[in-house]
């Protein structure tokens, strides 16, 4: 899109200027034919750039605003959930370490401590799996948002798009 705008900005004035050179000024010679071919070549490039701009504008005008808003909202939720899962993980580890240190201070052995307060390996693994799933979702949401103006819904494959829409509608109420 950026290249198309740049091409249009540069090609339009160049084509206009070249069209001002009439055949007579080139003495109706071979150069006049070459100039006409060059202007036609530039015109084709300009038409392609204008088509990209028009297609982009049309995509933007026809975008699914509700879905975009829902995805942006969900993206914020996912980021917060990732942070929260990280805090939960740190809290589990910190709590376990604190309890272990208390028991060590009371002269309990490692075996005894493990029986009293087992390491929360399963809970940590569960949090890690949930965080990984959220990171995957974050990547898809980011790709969709970055795909402006197309906002290709296929970038959200594997996500519950209708669930995201419903949650957004409920949030708006």
């Amino acid at each position: 899109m950026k290249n198309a705008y740049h091409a249009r900005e540069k090609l339009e004035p160049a084509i206009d200027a070249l069209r001002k050179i009439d055949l007579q000024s080139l003495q109706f010679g071979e150069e006049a034919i070459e100039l006409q071919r060059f202007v036609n070549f530039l015109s084709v490039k300009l038409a392609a750039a204008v088509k990209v701009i028009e297609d982009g504008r049309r995509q933007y005008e026809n975008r699914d605003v509700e879905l975009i808003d829902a995805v942006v909202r969900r993206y914020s939720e996912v980021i917060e959930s990732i942070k929260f899962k990280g805090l939960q993980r740190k809290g589990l580890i910190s709590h376990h370490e604190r309890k272990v240190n208390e028991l060590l201070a009371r002269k309990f052995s490692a075996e005894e401590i493990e029986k009293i307060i087992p390491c929360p390996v399963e809970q940590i693994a569960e949090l890690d799996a949930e965080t990984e799933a959220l990171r995957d979702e974050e990547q898809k949401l980011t790709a969709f948002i970055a795909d402006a103006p197309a906002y290709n819904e296929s970038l959200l494959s594997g996500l519950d798009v209708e669930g995201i829409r419903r949650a957004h509608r409920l949030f708006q109420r």
Side-chain angles (χ1 to χ4, degrees):
M1 193 65 137
K2 184 177 178 182
N3 290 340
Y5 275 108
H6 179 76
R8 185 181 72 179
E9 177 185 323
K10 299 300 180 185
L11 292 176
E12 281 180 344
I15 292 169
D16 290 343
L18 290 173
R19 283 190 175 142
K20 290 179 184 174
I21 301 172
D22 61 7
L23 298 177
Q24 182 180 358
S25 64
L26 296 174
Q27 300 171 349
F28 301 99
E30 179 96 11
E31 296 86 6
I33 294 169
E34 288 301 315
L35 176 63
Q36 192 60 41
R37 284 186 187 140
F38 186 61
V39 168
N40 289 342
F41 167 77
L42 292 178
S43 296
V44 168
K45 295 295 183 185
L46 175 61
V50 167
K51 182 177 181 340
V52 168
I53 292 167
E54 289 172 355
D55 288 349
R57 194 173 290 139
R58 193 170 21 267
Q59 284 177 333
Y60 183 75
E61 290 168 357
N62 295 324
R63 70 197 184 283
D64 187 342
V65 176
E66 180 193 46
L67 178 60
I68 295 165
D69 290 346
V71 166
V72 169
R73 183 178 166 282
R74 177 64 186 151
Y75 174 82
S76 296
E77 290 174 347
V78 166
I79 295 300
E80 290 304 312
S81 292
I82 290 171
K83 289 178 188 174
F84 183 69
K85 297 285 181 198
L87 292 173
Q88 284 181 303
R89 186 182 198 280
K90 285 180 184 177
L92 273 173
I93 293 169
S94 176
H95 177 74
H96 182 261
E97 288 174 351
R98 193 171 43 255
K99 293 293 184 183
V100 166
N101 289 334
E102 287 175 11
L103 293 176
L104 284 172
R106 294 182 181 174
K107 307 292 187 214
F108 281 85
S109 70
E111 295 84 29
E112 292 171 321
I113 293 172
E114 183 60 31
K115 289 178 184 174
I116 297 169
I117 307 170
C119 185
V121 175
E122 289 179 18
Q123 292 117 319
I124 291 171
E126 188 178 308
L127 284 171
D128 288 347
E130 291 170 2
T131 300
E132 188 59 34
L134 287 167
R135 288 193 192 288
D136 289 343
E137 183 176 358
E138 175 195 8
Q139 287 178 342
K140 290 177 181 183
L141 297 170
T142 299
F144 176 80
I145 294 165
D147 192 43
Y151 296 107
N152 187 345
E153 193 172 329
S154 70
L155 295 170
L156 300 173
S157 69
L159 300 183
D160 181 8
V161 174
E162 285 310 309
I164 291 171
R165 283 181 191 269
R166 279 190 304 276
H168 181 65
R169 287 183 199 125
L170 289 172
F171 178 76
Q172 287 181 316
R173 290 183 183 172

